[in-house]
Amino acid sequence: MKKIVNPNWIPKNGKISLRIEIIDPSDLELITYFYNDHYVNHGNLWKSIKITSKECHPLSFDIVSLAIEKPVSLAAFDGNQLVAVQLNRVQSPDEFSKLFDGQLHHENPKLVIKDDYAKDIKNGPYNLQANRIYVILQETLKQAGKFLPKTTKNLGYFKAASVHPDYQKFGLGSYLGIESLKLFHVHHCEYIMGFTSVDATYKFSKKLGMKECFELPYSKYKKIQSLFLVNYQKREDC
């Protein structure tokens, strides 16, 4: 049975009522298609390389699959219509080494940017277009471990957020983010992190008090991937 977080959430416009659920693994295909379509059509990086839905789908499937393994990701429904997803992950210390490619707890952490990622893209697990996305996502993720304090226990990870254009500017994205914080708290996450590629997510991260640790520039966008990290247990307003 699916877990309902809020059966009757009213957005800022007050005209509709949305149902907020914990994403169930049985909805993998539905969530994948929604996530894939959203980022292909609205994601800065995705749009910049003109990747098609077909090219991106295998990568999206793997991203969603990993995120919904644990019950910490959220979906919003207007009746039977899926209108938003918030993909989250919770990582335990025994998973850090693999997740961050062994790069953990550096004394003076710095993002290392290669001069050329052509070889990485060519040897990636997907087609060349999807590999362009995959490589930049992996490059930022695997280096994030350098910035984690040695005392870090469970880590909450804001993986991705997707809100249908017709449901934006009603506070839905922020609401899903706050509900995610509650889930991270249940799973005893000391720190939370996330990467931003759009202004709205960037501003939301700042409002949470998250610290910008690094930025990986992309040729057409100022902030295609920025890591944010905050000590969740020290916050008193969540």
Side-chain angles (χ1 to χ4, degrees):
M1 181 179 294
K2 296 182 180 180
K3 183 176 180 180
I4 308 298
V5 174
N6 190 334
N8 187 37
W9 181 75
I10 309 296
K12 289 180 180 179
N13 69 349
K15 296 180 180 179
I16 56 175
S17 171
L18 304 180
R19 184 179 73 260
I20 313 300
E21 300 179 357
I22 300 288
I23 295 178
D24 189 272
S26 65
D27 286 332
L28 173 59
E29 286 292 345
L30 174 65
I31 303 299
T32 297
Y33 276 105
F34 183 89
Y35 168 88
N36 189 62
D37 182 73
H38 179 87
Y39 276 90
V40 167
N41 290 292
H42 305 289
N44 290 338
L45 173 58
W46 287 252
K47 286 166 58 181
S48 73
I49 66 172
K50 297 180 173 61
I51 190 171
T52 66
S53 294
K54 184 177 180 180
E55 290 170 326
C56 194
H57 189 270
L59 171 60
S60 296
F61 181 89
D62 288 345
I63 288 173
V64 173
S65 297
L66 284 172
I68 66 175
E69 284 181 350
K70 299 174 184 177
V72 291
S73 294
L74 299 165
F77 290 87
D78 185 356
N80 292 323
Q81 180 184 357
L82 176 63
V83 299
V85 300
Q86 172 66 57
L87 300 179
N88 301 313
R89 291 166 61 177
V90 170
Q91 310 292 160
S92 57
D94 62 300
E95 298 172 312
F96 289 172
S97 183
K98 181 179 180 181
L99 183 67
F100 300 119
D101 200 30
Q103 303 181 70
L104 293 168
H105 318 306
H106 286 201
E107 226 174 277
N108 297 298
K110 293 181 181 180
L111 176 70
V112 178
I113 302 176
K114 296 180 181 179
D115 293 329
D116 190 348
Y117 287 96
K119 185 176 180 181
D120 301 81
I121 292 171
K122 180 181 178 181
N123 295 329
Y126 306 101
N127 56 74
L128 286 179
Q129 283 287 74
N131 283 342
R132 288 186 172 94
I133 305 292
Y134 172 78
V135 167
I136 198 170
L137 295 180
Q138 284 297 109
E139 190 65 18
T140 50
L141 175 59
K142 71 183 182 183
Q143 294 196 55
K146 300 176 183 179
F147 297 81
L148 292 181
K150 291 182 179 179
T151 58
T152 304
K153 306 299 182 184
N154 286 355
L155 176 69
Y157 177 11
F158 284 119
K159 177 57 184 174
S162 311
V163 179
H164 189 283
D166 292 345
Y167 293 80
Q168 293 177 1
K169 299 183 179 179
F170 298 150
L172 179 55
S174 295
Y175 173 76
L176 293 177
I178 296 301
E179 288 299 321
S180 297
L181 289 178
K182 295 176 182 178
L183 291 172
F184 292 147
H185 178 70
V186 169
H187 286 80
H188 309 290
C189 294
E190 180 184 12
Y191 284 87
I192 58 173
M193 74 171 194
F195 300 90
T196 70
S197 59
V198 294
D199 286 341
T201 312
Y202 181 86
K203 292 175 182 177
F204 176 73
S205 300
K206 285 287 190 180
K207 286 181 180 179
L208 289 180
M210 301 183 84
K211 174 186 176 182
E212 185 171 0
C213 298
F214 65 72
E215 176 186 329
L216 177 57
Y218 193 72
S219 60
K220 297 181 180 180
Y221 300 97
K222 290 183 179 180
K223 294 187 182 300
I224 191 62
Q225 282 286 300
S226 299
L227 168 71
F228 286 86
L229 183 69
V230 68
N231 187 325
Y232 178 76
Q233 291 188 343
K234 290 183 179 181
R235 286 184 53 80
E236 298 178 351
D237 56 344
C238 293

